[in-house]
Amino acid sequence: MKTGHTFVKPLQRAALARATGCNLETIRYYETIGVMPDPPRDPNGYRSYSEYHVRRLQFVMRARDLGFSLEEIRGLLTLVDNDTRSCVEVEEIALAHLKDVQNKIAHLVRIEAALSNTLAHCSGTDVPECAVLDALLD
Amino acid sequence: MKTGHTFVKPLQRAALARATGCNLETIRYYETIGVMPDPPRDPNGYRSYSEYHVRRLQFVMRARDLGFSLEEIRGLLTLVDNDTRSCVEVEEIALAHLKDVQNKIAHLVRIEAALSNTLAHCSGTDVPECAVLDALLD
DNA sequence: CCTAAGCTCTGTAGGTGATACAGGCTCAAG
DNA sequence: CTTGAGCCTGTATCACCTACAGAGCTTAGG
């Protein structure tokens, strides 16, 4: 064997969707808004995706899943692309998100307590709904 | 002084927006979709909001922030509103929401772990190696 | 009293982040 | 050659807002 180099056959759109779990149409959407690059086309006009596109789409999806907006993802991608990946910038964005997520968790835990409290008191008394409201209102 | 009862002067739409941080137009939107009640009107047709509307809008906004859909919020609100509810109904709704909330918590905890874990490996320097990006890129 | 600013009202258009569908082309299998 | 799956494009639809246009009310100043 010459190298460890493996040829990965190019993927069409549905194959990329299957490979990443992304919705078929969303791939085209990400292309039109510039989050995914315009892929090369086969002579017939079909999109031809490589391993690069799989990784990039996974990046986008993972970041979306973590709650980053497409605008933030565009920012992260330029940091990835230009190798000016100063950790500081990324850390700023990610840290802000972490705090946001932690706040959300704290609130949800209070709501959880209020809801299970509601269920515990569900014997016909007319008070418990206030707990839910209070939890949501702080 | 007769009571501890404080008169709170009614608010117009912009005042409610300021009081809650909600967008002016969003208030009207919530009204049209039935998440906020149709407020009483002054003789001139202007909407007149009370403390009740402030609290209700804060409830809605907090719930939205925590990831509840407007549909779910409608459900939460009936839970909060309905004093003439049968215990069975409340139990059903509350239990459904409890599960929903617990799922949301679990999801956010996973996100939190991923974010703080990657941030822990972030050197915070200008080094072009960034743990956060590596994590997103796998 | 008149006017101008600054609210309010309504209807409707635009934006984000997808997702779906229609009508047509391409391609590989039978 | 036909059939069906897969691709193409454009456009519609969805949830959830957000903004604007054009009109009426209301308050302060001259």
Side-chain angles (χ1 to χ4, degrees), chain A:
Chain A
M1 53 179 88
K2 209 132 196 266
T3 67
H5 187 103
T6 54
F7 277 109
V8 179
K9 61 166 179 277
L11 305 173
Q12 293 191 327
R13 193 150 57 103
L16 179 60
R18 273 193 302 275
T20 58
C22 184
N23 181 287
L24 179 74
E25 302 286 1
T26 304
I27 293 171
R28 191 161 58 107
Y29 172 67
Y30 284 165
E31 186 182 318
T32 63
I33 65 165
V35 161
M36 287 291 287
D38 291 14
R41 302 287 184 125
D42 289 339
N44 56 14
Y46 287 16
R47 289 168 180 81
S48 180
Y49 295 105
S50 66
E51 207 49 28
Y52 164 79
H53 297 93
V54 175
R55 288 175 59 79
R56 161 127 335 195
L57 185 50
Q58 279 170 345
F59 181 99
V60 172
M61 291 177 71
R62 198 161 295 147
R64 284 294 295 141
D65 199 47
L66 292 178
F68 292 97
S69 72
L70 288 172
E71 207 45 61
E72 289 170 320
I73 290 170
R74 252 189 281 265
L76 288 172
L77 284 172
T78 57
L79 291 178
V80 169
D81 290 340
N82 315 342
D83 264 342
T84 61
R85 304 169 30 169
S86 90
C87 212
V88 186
E89 289 172 89
V90 177
E91 191 179 24
E92 257 173 50
I93 300 173
L95 196 57
H97 264 290
L98 177 59
K99 283 179 178 159
D100 187 42
V101 167
Q102 285 169 338
N103 283 335
K104 280 177 168 44
I105 290 172
H107 282 295
L108 284 171
V109 165
R110 278 206 285 281
I111 292 169
E112 185 194 14
L115 279 173
S116 52
N117 190 42
T118 299
L119 284 166
H121 287 78
C122 198
S123 51
T125 57
D126 47 319
V127 181
E129 86 277 350
C130 297
V132 180
L133 184 68
D134 290 346
L136 274 167
L137 289 175
D138 258 352

